[in-house]
Amino acid sequence: MHETIQGYIEAVEEQIRWRRARPVVSLELRRHLEDQRDAFAAEGLENAERLAVEEMGDPVSVGTELDRLHRPRPQWGLLGLTIALACVGAFFRVGFACSSFAVTVLALVLGTAALLGMYFLDVSSLARCPRVIYAGALAAGIVSLCFLPYVNNAAYYTRYVVLLYPVVYALWLYSCRGIGWRNFARAVAGGIPLTLFAVLAPFAFGLFILLVCGLILLLCAIGMGWFGPGRWKFAGTALVLAAGMPALFFGMGYGESFLMRLRLALHPELEPLDGGYAGWILKMYLEDVPLVRERSGSFGIGIGFGGRVYGGLLGGEKGYTEFHIDQEFIPVKLLVEFGWLAYLLLMAAITALLVWLLVRCLRQRQQMGRLAALAVVLSLGLETLFSAALNLGFLFFLSHLPLVSGNLHTVIDMVLIGLVLSVFRGGSVLRDEPARERSRFKFPWRVKISIISTRES
């Protein structure tokens, strides 16, 4: 029988097969044994450590029970659905968007490897170094903005870096936990450099995703009590700041552009030969699409950065010839050639994946994992929503459909989903790191004033 706490813990660890669970179990077990030892010592009992170990029971039995409780939770269903959708997306990119077969297969292989790599990642390591990850994300933005090639006067690769920023901001919020307005101010200020890269790219949809996700994540952090009591005050301040963002953009001269974009998205027929051409032609062509149709023609439309149209409508029934299609319009290509049923099945599969992820996310107890998973689900959900609007003729933003449109975009999507599945897989051993207490600034010098009073005898 072990008489020391260290020997008892080592005997328990030998029964636990999952290596990631051993440090968590040993830390909790050590705390319990030390508390019991101190209690016995306070009662004046001799050999307090041996008594604490004996009271815990047989280490083999305890270790076996802990091994049963702390096991990885496989996510085979979500993994299989993600890979299946990625394969379907690769098929559509090759068949509909004329993507290179070799490049598409390479993107699928890299995406699957990234998905599995993130799936087996120890997410608790992210909780221990959120500031390092934040600094690395800023460095990646600088490199992509200053050193990687531009496409049509836009920082093409910065857009993909920005897609990772909602998760980065979730980790930043986790590092800002602490009581007081100072920590809240740091949490808000951390989002400014991230949004700046979206503005410099420029990437309007990425900026929209960051602002929406950032506000929701900040409100969730407030709701979890990360900044202490006074949640309504923090939430009210966050909502006031969010309400001030539109005024800021209008003041910078973006208001007219936004209103024009909104007007053309809702009523493209007002300018059918200019900015509303793509939306007008899409809505017109979708009027006579049946529920199910055999492949009868082809469809191609292209929109460059800034909304410039350079493609056209193609279809055997309309008498046009095929020449181009952007990958953002793969869903509507599927809809036109095979009918509404094929399109709805594709959107239903992606929606089912996102809803499944959201339900599992809300059940997650560990706060950092829950917030990071929520950031991924929110960003992918917004991309799906605006991609659906885009393909139905409402051109608010150029948005990719997750796991379907874009080779590099698919790799990014699989990285993010792999991170979420890693949170779900290790949910039984994930623990929140204690918030760091930061001492207030104090003047470094101490001045001692002595008052000497004299009184005559």
Side-chain angles (χ1 to χ4, degrees):
M1 187 69 180
H2 297 278
E3 297 185 356
T4 63
I5 292 178
Q6 182 61 32
Y8 187 89
I9 292 175
E10 292 176 356
V12 170
E13 285 184 344
E14 291 175 356
Q15 315 305 317
I16 301 174
R17 290 169 288 179
W18 191 17
R19 292 184 179 180
R20 283 180 56 185
R22 292 174 184 173
V24 177
V25 171
S26 62
L27 179 61
E28 294 179 350
L29 192 59
R30 182 181 297 277
R31 289 175 178 173
H32 178 76
L33 288 170
E34 290 177 351
D35 290 343
Q36 190 63 41
R37 178 199 61 192
D38 295 341
F40 285 143
E43 295 176 2
L45 299 176
E46 298 181 357
N47 299 322
E49 184 169 344
R50 180 177 60 82
L51 292 175
V53 169
E54 290 178 354
E55 186 177 85
M56 181 60 66
D58 180 38
V60 176
S61 301
V62 173
T64 303
E65 183 64 21
L66 291 174
D67 177 68
R68 186 184 65 83
L69 295 175
H70 296 287
R71 289 185 181 180
R73 300 171 180 174
Q75 306 296 318
W76 304 124
L78 288 167
L79 273 175
L81 181 56
T82 302
I83 295 175
L85 286 173
C87 291
V88 171
F91 174 78
F92 287 158
R93 290 195 297 276
V94 173
F96 289 164
C98 300
S99 177
S100 169
F101 178 79
V103 174
T104 304
V105 172
L106 177 61
L108 180 62
V109 172
L110 291 177
T112 304
L115 173 71
L116 296 176
M118 295 300 293
Y119 174 70
F120 290 106
L121 174 72
D122 183 3
V123 184
S124 59
S125 61
L126 302 181
R128 291 190 291 267
C129 54
R131 293 187 178 183
V132 176
I133 296 173
Y134 181 83
L138 295 182
I142 294 173
V143 170
S144 64
L145 197 64
C146 300
F147 301 104
L148 296 183
Y150 279 50
V151 178
N152 293 331
N153 296 322
Y156 178 76
Y157 293 98
T158 305
R159 297 165 176 253
Y160 295 99
V161 176
V162 170
L163 293 176
L164 301 173
Y165 279 176
V167 175
V168 174
Y169 185 62
L171 296 176
W172 172 258
L173 289 175
Y174 186 75
S175 71
C176 294
R177 292 171 302 150
I179 298 176
W181 287 94
R182 181 180 180 182
N183 295 291
F184 176 78
R186 291 176 57 254
V188 174
I192 297 176
L194 302 179
T195 57
L196 184 61
F197 284 105
V199 174
L200 295 176
F203 187 21
F205 186 46
L207 178 62
F208 176 79
I209 290 177
L210 269 176
L211 293 177
V212 174
C213 292
L215 176 60
I216 296 176
L217 294 176
L218 181 59
L219 291 176
C220 290
I222 294 172
M224 290 185 289
W226 285 8
F227 308 113
R231 298 179 183 181
W232 289 108
K233 295 181 181 179
F234 290 121
T237 304
L239 292 175
V240 168
L241 293 175
M245 293 302 297
L248 176 62
F249 283 117
F250 273 79
M252 295 172 62
Y254 293 105
E256 184 178 354
S257 174
F258 171 77
L259 293 176
M260 181 179 296
R261 181 192 292 264
L262 181 62
R263 182 171 63 90
L264 292 179
L266 297 176
H267 302 285
E269 66 277 1
L270 296 177
E271 296 185 19
L273 299 180
D274 195 7
Y277 172 75
W280 171 71
I281 210 74
L282 278 170
K283 290 182 178 180
M284 184 185 68
Y285 198 78
L286 292 176
E287 290 178 355
D288 58 352
V289 175
L291 182 63
V292 179
R293 180 167 66 187
E294 296 182 0
R295 188 169 186 175
S296 58
S298 53
F299 176 87
I301 192 168
I303 300 180
F305 295 109
R308 181 175 60 86
V309 177
Y310 61 90
L313 179 64
L314 316 169
E317 296 179 357
K318 300 292 182 179
Y320 294 87
T321 56
E322 182 172 2
F323 64 98
H324 188 270
I325 179 175
D326 270 3
Q327 293 200 14
E328 294 91 343
F329 295 94
I330 287 177
V332 76
K333 171 82 171 183
L334 176 69
L335 190 156
V336 168
E337 295 205 4
F338 295 100
W340 281 99
L341 182 61
Y343 171 80
L344 293 175
L345 288 175
L346 175 63
M347 298 304 297
I350 296 176
T351 303
L353 174 63
L354 294 177
V355 171
W356 195 352
L357 291 174
L358 179 61
V359 171
R360 295 293 307 278
C361 168
L362 297 178
R363 293 177 180 175
Q364 181 65 31
R365 294 183 179 180
Q366 199 252 354
Q367 294 182 346
M368 187 278 292
R370 185 196 312 164
L371 204 66
L374 182 61
V376 173
V377 175
L378 287 174
S379 59
L380 295 182
L382 289 173
E383 290 182 17
T384 302
L385 177 63
F386 281 92
S387 175
L390 174 71
N391 283 270
L392 295 179
F394 301 94
L395 277 68
F396 296 99
F397 298 104
L398 281 179
S399 176
H400 290 75
L401 185 63
L403 301 174
V404 174
S405 304
N407 290 317
L408 184 54
H409 198 281
T410 298
V411 176
I412 297 295
D413 293 338
M414 298 182 82
V415 168
L416 293 175
I417 294 175
L419 174 63
V420 177
L421 299 187
S422 178
V423 172
F424 299 162
R425 178 176 178 269
S428 64
V429 297
L430 292 180
R431 298 292 186 272
D432 287 304
E433 296 289 329
R436 297 179 180 179
E437 295 293 337
R438 297 177 177 84
S439 59
R440 296 182 178 179
F441 175 78
K442 295 181 179 180
F443 194 72
W445 301 98
R446 292 184 178 181
V447 180
K448 184 176 181 179
I449 300 177
S450 299
I451 300 176
I452 303 175
S453 62
T454 58
R455 187 177 59 180
E456 292 182 0
S457 308

